[in-house]
Amino acid sequence: MPRRGETRTENRVSTTTLGVIGTGMVGLGTARRAVDAGLNVVLSNSRGPETLAGPVAELGRRARAATPAEAANAGDLVITAVPLAAYEQLPRAELAGRTVIDPMNYAPHSGFEMPELDSNELTSSELVQRHLADARVVKALHNIGPKQLMELFRPAGAPDRTALPLSGDDPDAKKEVADLLDALGFDAVDLGALADSWRSEPNTPLYALPYVGQPPSGLTVREFVAWVQQASGVPVPAARVEELAAAAVRGPAGFRM
């Protein structure tokens, strides 16, 4: 039996296989939602397919493990859920011609700083697109946590259906990702080009908090992150996403507390 809000996708979306590069919280969370929605997933990470026996067994027959290059080749769409600091390790040749979902966010620290991002010369997704010059990069699935992704999906037309933002330079690629989000149980709001993707990045009104509500006061950074990861999901309609994106004011790039 489908879970609440689940809709089988094979007849509604051309994507039947999602390649997943990176199996942290975002990669595995997206893979779980995709499998529940009827898609196949190919998991990969930098440590090798043999390290993914547990997640593959948990996800079941729709999942298999591979190398990042193999996942890129296998996926109708590919999500690159790795730390932004590792973006240059993504398999450029295998991702050429692919639609690539970029959920990476910039989090500057002493070991990783990008002057082009710090100066707002580029958004992080423009940086990724420059590296993956022959792919079609779409920023998406970057501003909602895995727990909320698993709680907030609803069938199309549901009055409490949640919307997620996306940004990209290729209209056809954005349509592919919007169709995937629909299959996963979410509406999509197009924020424009990759240059506009800052409107839903960390330290904007559209990042994370709309989907979890107001956190308790007085939390340390570590406590705040833990609270967001475990908070119950709050539905956010498309009109609210549009409103929050329009209200965003560009400040320093990256996640900063």
Side-chain angles (χ1 to χ4, degrees):
M1 290 291 290
R3 301 179 187 179
R4 183 189 178 197
E6 182 176 336
T7 52
R8 291 302 180 188
T9 61
E10 288 85 351
N11 295 325
R12 294 196 304 109
V13 62
S14 60
T15 301
T16 59
T17 299
L18 179 67
V20 180
I21 300 177
T23 51
M25 292 179 64
V26 173
L28 285 180
T30 304
R32 289 188 182 98
R33 178 80 281 273
V35 165
D36 283 352
L39 279 70
N40 299 315
V41 298
V42 180
L43 302 179
S44 68
N45 61 22
S46 61
R47 300 183 300 280
E50 65 278 3
T51 68
L52 294 169
V56 168
E58 178 191 345
L59 292 171
R61 63 181 179 84
R62 291 188 177 274
R64 66 180 177 91
T67 66
E70 290 167 343
N73 277 323
D76 298 297
L77 274 79
V78 182
I79 181 169
T80 54
V82 302
L84 183 63
Y87 81 96
E88 291 182 318
Q89 299 174 28
L90 294 171
R92 294 179 66 180
E94 289 79 8
L95 289 171
R98 301 285 182 182
T99 294
V100 175
I101 301 169
D102 169 22
M104 295 177 275
N105 289 308
Y106 181 41
H109 53 80
S110 58
F112 177 62
E113 295 180 351
M114 298 291 297
E116 290 173 300
L117 303 187
D118 293 331
S119 66
N120 286 332
E121 179 182 344
L122 295 174
T123 63
S124 63
S125 290
E126 287 179 297
L127 186 73
V128 173
Q129 178 67 85
R130 188 173 68 183
H131 176 65
L132 302 177
D134 296 322
R136 300 178 296 273
V137 173
V138 178
K139 185 79 165 186
L141 291 168
H142 60 288
N143 72 322
I144 186 172
K147 183 175 185 290
Q148 294 78 41
L149 193 73
M150 293 299 294
E151 292 179 351
L152 292 175
F153 67 92
R154 301 289 188 272
D160 62 343
R161 203 182 206 210
T162 285
L164 300 174
L166 59 79
S167 306
D169 296 338
D170 185 293
D172 291 336
K174 287 196 285 187
K175 177 64 165 56
E176 287 183 74
V177 176
D179 287 347
L180 174 66
L181 293 179
D182 182 43
L184 298 183
F186 297 86
D187 290 334
V189 175
D190 187 346
L191 300 189
L194 292 178
D196 301 309
S197 61
W198 65 267
R199 292 186 175 276
S200 58
E201 289 183 345
N203 298 318
T204 68
L206 194 43
Y207 183 77
L209 287 181
Y211 302 95
V212 295
Q214 188 63 32
S217 60
L219 297 181
T220 65
V221 172
R222 185 182 297 273
E223 290 169 341
F224 170 78
V225 171
W227 181 86
V228 170
Q229 290 174 346
Q230 295 302 316
S232 297
V234 176
V236 183
R240 182 60 174 160
V241 171
E242 294 171 354
E243 178 184 358
L244 292 172
V249 175
R250 195 168 191 178
F255 183 77
R256 304 169 192 263
M257 289 290 290

